[in-house]
């Protein structure tokens, strides 16, 4: 991850794509109409994400972190700017092209698990593969059983979500996110519906998977546990990046940190030192 502005059918490979990067966000802004007003959710955000990192997008509610995650996940599109995912420029792509990219390149882990209640754990994990015709039945079975084993649920393959704990449901969701062999996993507040201990165990599982597979993980979070476990952090406020951090052992070093704005003073008040 770098602190400088990003360099300037399926989406085609961008001619200037850096092979070291999983994601490149370049001058991205997102605005929404709210009645006659325009709400700015992201304001000229630029960010490069190296392959294989465990990165936390941190900030208070309304900071823009979930909006940025949705942009990276090709769930939403920017008002302005450019996004390159795994070397492919996704700007101006059709919904079908973006869906094909998501299916083969990006895995998702959601706060509310988003499992199909009528399907077993095995069937939930298998579901994304059923939309990939190049993967046959035998390979589907091998992948599903492998990732259920990776998340420690090999003995729960025939259980439905209502027969599983919250932590087990999130493990199923992680297996589902990984089963298509994505380059990138996006997790939106994955510990928010879990107790502290279960959330910690889920994070440790994802960190082990990240280290073993070199799959890039990006979290949207305000959970201190996620930030403590991350090796990169991006802090957002009011739709802007205010800090970029890289963990060196147990300490954070900051490639970029926006200077704090001076406090506002009411008319007639005297600023300190004056």
């Amino acid at each position: 991850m770098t602190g400088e502005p990003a360099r300037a059918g399926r989406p085609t490979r961008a001619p200037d794509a850096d092979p070291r990067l999983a994601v490149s966000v370049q001058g991205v802004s997102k605005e929404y109409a709210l009645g006659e007003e325009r709400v700015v959710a992201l304001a000229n955000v630029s960010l490069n994400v190296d392959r294989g990192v465990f990165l936390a997008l941190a900030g208070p509610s309304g900071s823009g972190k979930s909006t940025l995650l949705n942009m990276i996940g090709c769930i939403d599109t920017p008002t302005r700017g450019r996004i390159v995912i795994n070397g492919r420029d996704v700007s101006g792509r059709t919904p079908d092209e973006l869906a094909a990219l998501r299916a083969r390149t990006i895995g998702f882990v959601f706060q509310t698990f988003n499992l199909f209640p009528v399907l077993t754990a095995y069937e939930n994990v298998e579901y994304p593969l059923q939309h990939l015709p190049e993967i046959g039945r035998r390979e589907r079975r091998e992948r599903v059983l492998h990732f259920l084993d990776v998340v420690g649920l090999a003995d729960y393959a025939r259980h439905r979500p209502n027969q599983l704990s919250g932590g087990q449901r999130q493990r199923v969701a992680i297996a589902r996110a990984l089963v298509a062999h994505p380059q990138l996993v996006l997790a939106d507040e994955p510990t928010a519906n879990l107790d502290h201990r279960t959330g910690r165990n889920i994070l440790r599982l994802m960190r082990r998977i990240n280290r073993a597979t070199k799959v890039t993980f990006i979290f949207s979070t305000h959970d201190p546990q996620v930030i403590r476990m991350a090796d990169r952090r991006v802090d957002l406020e009011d739709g802007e990046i205010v800090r970029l951090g890289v963990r060196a052992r147990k300490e954070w070093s900051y490639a970029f940190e926006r200077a704090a704005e001076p406090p506002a003073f009411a008319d007639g008040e005297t600023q300190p030192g004056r």
Side-chain angles (χ1 to χ4, degrees):
M1 181 179 67
T2 60
E4 301 80 12
R7 297 181 292 277
R10 293 189 194 175
T12 55
R13 180 164 293 277
D16 59 343
D18 187 334
R20 298 169 298 178
L21 299 180
V23 177
S24 182
V25 177
Q26 304 173 8
V28 163
S29 295
K30 181 64 179 181
E31 300 174 1
Y32 298 97
L34 184 63
E36 297 181 356
E37 297 183 2
R38 300 291 291 178
V39 176
V40 179
L42 292 175
N44 195 32
V45 169
S46 293
L47 174 70
N48 287 334
V49 180
D50 296 331
R51 293 184 185 275
V53 301
F54 203 73
L55 182 147
L57 301 175
S61 297
S63 62
K65 60 184 185 297
S66 292
T67 301
L68 180 55
L69 197 76
N70 288 340
M71 298 291 157
I72 294 171
C74 303
I75 294 172
D76 201 353
T77 56
T79 306
R80 291 180 296 278
R82 179 175 181 238
I83 299 176
V84 178
I85 305 295
N86 196 34
R88 299 186 181 278
D89 187 348
V90 302
S91 306
R93 301 301 170 182
T94 68
D96 285 346
E97 288 173 328
L98 293 177
L101 177 73
R102 286 195 302 270
R104 293 169 172 82
T105 307
I106 305 172
F108 295 89
V109 179
F110 300 97
Q111 174 180 338
T112 54
F113 318 134
N114 285 20
L115 302 179
F116 292 103
V118 298
L119 300 183
T120 65
Y122 181 100
E123 291 164 340
N124 269 284
V125 175
E126 182 187 36
Y127 184 79
L129 300 182
Q130 294 180 335
H131 300 275
L132 302 179
E134 66 271 21
I135 299 177
R137 181 178 299 178
R138 180 177 178 180
E139 184 178 355
R140 285 206 311 267
R141 175 177 171 78
E142 290 174 351
R143 287 196 190 191
V144 172
L145 293 177
H146 170 71
F147 283 107
L148 282 173
D149 184 58
V150 166
V151 300
L153 292 180
D155 293 335
Y156 294 82
R158 299 303 171 190
H159 287 60
R160 288 188 169 85
N162 66 356
Q163 298 172 306
L164 301 172
S165 68
Q168 288 171 330
R169 293 179 198 179
Q170 197 61 293
R171 287 172 181 265
V172 174
I174 294 167
R176 180 185 58 190
L178 294 167
V179 74
H181 293 172
Q183 300 296 314
L184 180 65
V185 171
L186 305 181
D188 189 8
E189 300 283 5
T191 60
N193 285 351
L194 304 174
D195 63 71
H196 183 83
R197 181 177 179 181
T198 302
R200 183 176 66 242
N201 290 337
I202 288 294
L203 290 172
R204 286 175 174 171
L205 171 64
M206 288 193 279
R207 189 65 171 118
R208 289 197 301 270
I209 292 169
N210 163 255
R211 287 172 171 165
T213 65
K214 305 303 181 185
V215 172
T216 305
F217 278 73
I218 301 178
F219 296 80
S220 168
T221 188
H222 59 264
D223 185 348
Q225 289 191 102
V226 179
I227 297 170
R228 283 195 298 269
M229 205 166 292
D231 53 32
R232 303 287 191 279
R233 66 182 289 175
V234 178
D235 291 22
L236 293 103
E237 292 179 8
D238 300 323
E240 298 181 353
I241 292 176
V242 297
R243 190 161 59 173
L244 296 171
V246 178
R247 185 182 296 281
R249 298 182 180 177
K250 295 184 178 182
E251 300 296 327
W252 288 102
S253 61
Y254 294 101
F256 166 78
E257 190 166 12
R258 191 177 70 183
E261 295 182 0
F265 292 89
D267 291 342
E269 290 185 357
T270 303
Q271 296 188 23
R274 292 193 177 183

